[in-house]
Amino acid sequence: MKSEAAPGLALLDVPEPEIGINDVLIKVRKAGICGTDLHIEGWDAWAAATVPVPMVIGHEFVGEVVAVGDNVNDFHPGDLVSGEGHVVCGRCRNCMAGRRHLCASTSGVGVDRPGAFAEYIALPMANVWHHRDGVDPEVAAIFDPLGNAVHTALAFKTLGEDVLITGAGPIGLMATAVVRHAGARHVVVSDPNPYRLELARTMGATVAVDPRATALADVRRELGMDEGFDVGLEMSGQGAALRDMLANMAHGGGIAMLGIPSEEIAVDWNQIVFNGLTVKGIYGREMYETWYMMSVMLQSGLDITPVLTHRFHYTEHERAFAAARGERAAKVLIDWS
């Protein structure tokens, strides 16, 4: 947990969460370290301005139901579940219209309310996802970030299209497998990290390149893509990557942006206007269409297990976070058994 307003985390005893009549108490089995958790652990400007202290952090997890509130009928002790990390108000215009992922009053699990890096977590029943029988618990633990990848990757039609992914972090890697599974023709991944480029090839990339060494225009020529990429997935948050993407898009193409820039990015808006590009911001998952899509794609053969590179016990949390910050890791899991 974040026990004080300073860098680092502490492993402490806290009271077991209490549940209300509409809540579910879950015993956590495995949890994933997210980039958000790294920001909180490092206590950067965003974390200092956002996270109240003390706070149990973490929002990617899988666990078993141990107790339910009096109004809960759909979940039972022993069910294998994960949780949607965005708790919404349920009453605003977007929530009432079924667009809960656009709720302006969202509360973040492990950010604004106690999270999943603990033996138990309590969530509203509307935020609990019941996994199908036979799901890999390690994959179930990262449904939250997989949902980010699926939401981004399927923002535009990819069947038969050429896709550019800038940024081969865990979500970019999972998006690579998703668009390949969804029928993309060529999938090009751009990232300066050689370890993650090799992972991108494992996940199904046609070509994975270091943009400092290989120009995307050259990759296009080698693949016979005269008109550019049909779909761009910007996962890096880097200005150079976005500008490179804009310069290599086909007319009428679509760009889905999930990467969060640390500073303002200047772009040539003429490229967007005169090339008729659509740029869409992506935040979280569509509740719960994205979760459904994740489940059925896994049933039909989607394999994201290569992105799971490190596993640690919760007592080794410092080593786990160090690995997640390193250049030779993708998704890091923490075991809460």
Side-chain angles (χ1 to χ4, degrees), residues 165 167-178 189 196-197 199-200 203 307 330:
I165 300 175
I171 297 177
L173 291 170
M174 289 187 284
T176 302
V178 171
V189 178
R196 289 184 170 177
L197 289 178
L199 277 178
M203 300 295 278
V307 82

Side-chain angles (χ1 to χ4, degrees), residues 82-212:
S82 291
E84 164 59 50
H86 294 158
V87 180
V88 300
C89 75
R91 300 302 302 170
C92 68
R93 176 182 178 183
N94 280 321
C95 282
M96 294 293 285
R99 300 185 295 266
R100 288 180 284 178
H101 61 292
L102 298 176
C103 176
S105 300
T106 297
S107 176
V109 173
V111 177
D112 306 300
R113 54 179 289 146
F117 286 176
E119 293 171 303
Y120 295 93
I121 182 174
L123 285 177
M125 60 180 173
N127 278 70
V128 181
W129 179 263
H130 190 180
H131 289 290
R132 64 175 177 83
D133 292 340
V135 69
D136 183 339
E138 291 193 336
V139 172
I142 58 169
F143 256 49
D144 183 292
L146 174 58
N148 289 337
V150 170
H151 189 186
T152 309
L154 301 185
F156 299 98
K157 181 179 75 72
T158 57
L159 177 62
E161 305 287 37
D162 296 321
V163 180
L164 170 63
I165 300 175
T166 49
I171 297 177
L173 291 170
M174 289 187 284
T176 302
V178 171
V179 295
R180 174 63 72 198
H181 189 75
R185 181 177 70 156
H186 295 309
V187 183
V188 176
V189 178
S190 170
D191 194 282
N193 184 320
Y195 175 81
R196 289 184 170 177
L197 289 178
E198 189 57 40
L199 277 178
R201 297 181 187 103
T202 301
M203 300 295 278
T206 310
V207 177
V209 297
D210 181 341
R212 301 168 302 182

Side-chain angles (χ1 to χ4, degrees), residues 19-49:
I19 60 172
I21 60 174
N22 296 310
D23 297 334
V24 177
L25 182 65
I26 303 163
K27 182 173 179 59
V28 178
R29 288 176 53 180
K30 299 178 185 294
I33 296 178
C34 173
T36 299
D37 302 318
L38 296 178
H39 286 290
I40 298 173
E41 190 267 347
W43 205 240
D44 61 12
W46 170 85

